[in-house]
Amino acid sequence: AQANEWGYGFSVAGRVNTFGDDDIRFTVNGGEGIGRYIGLGLVPGAQYQPEAEKLDTIGAISANVAYRKVIGPWSGNVGVSYLYVDYPQDLTENPNFQQNDDETSQAFSAYGAILRDVGFGTTVGIEYLHAQRELVGGQSADTDRITLSVRKEF
């Protein structure tokens, strides 16, 4: 069997300069059938229902906002992000889909980072991130991560 379905998506992103070199950065993405463009594979673009020979697109919206503060060679960033997935009702009522309850329902993360320009085009940093993920079946988990980084400009 073969099924076709249209999807659509939008993305709005920007940066607003605040004080000195400080800024706020944001992104909002949304649409139907755009799962592969959001969240590193957390969201399917569509789900095939073989009994109905039907393809259902999956709706999703994601947003993130971050503030960057610069003080001399130091900078700090804080940010939050959120993902919500809207599965069609006829899909969530399908017994085969309910058995596959490991699909993402929503996700959230927050982070803070401190970076230092050490000269010669090199920046070092440390970041702390906390993230949560909730699945369609109701299970949820969270994670905490610390990342050390070195960036060299060429």
Side-chain angles (χ1 to χ4, degrees):
Q2 190 173 14
N4 296 305
E5 187 68 32
W6 281 91
Y8 66 89
F10 70 89
S11 181
V12 177
R15 182 176 76 185
V16 177
N17 294 327
T18 56
F19 309 101
D21 291 329
D22 302 356
D23 60 58
I24 296 172
R25 299 166 188 222
F26 62 90
T27 307
V28 177
N29 303 292
E32 293 280 334
I34 62 169
R36 68 181 181 190
Y37 302 105
I38 293 180
L40 299 172
L42 280 178
V43 183
Q47 187 85 23
Y48 181 67
Q49 294 191 51
E51 316 80 40
E53 294 185 2
K54 179 181 175 186
L55 189 63
D56 285 317
T57 57
I58 311 294
I61 188 161
S62 68
N64 67 55
V65 63
Y67 179 70
R68 182 178 70 130
K69 175 72 178 164
V70 178
I71 302 173
W74 293 90
S75 65
N77 302 310
V78 292
V80 295
S81 64
Y82 181 73
L83 166 68
Y84 174 76
V85 184
D86 184 21
Y87 295 94
Q89 186 173 355
D90 63 334
L91 180 60
T92 57
E93 292 172 352
N94 181 324
N96 292 328
F97 182 78
Q98 290 174 351
Q99 292 170 2
N100 188 15
D101 59 1
D102 63 347
E103 299 288 355
T104 300
S105 171
Q106 59 184 347
F108 165 82
S109 68
Y111 76 92
I114 297 172
L115 301 131
R116 169 92 159 97
D117 181 357
V118 294
F120 307 105
T122 304
T123 303
V124 296
I126 185 168
E127 175 186 86
Y128 168 74
L129 176 126
H130 174 76
Q132 299 172 335
R133 180 179 176 206
E134 184 177 313
L135 305 180
V136 171
Q139 304 92 332
S140 63
D142 60 331
T143 187
D144 295 285
R145 176 180 77 197
I146 293 176
T147 304
L148 302 173
S149 64
V150 177
R151 182 183 76 189
K152 175 69 176 159
E153 295 180 17
F154 296 97

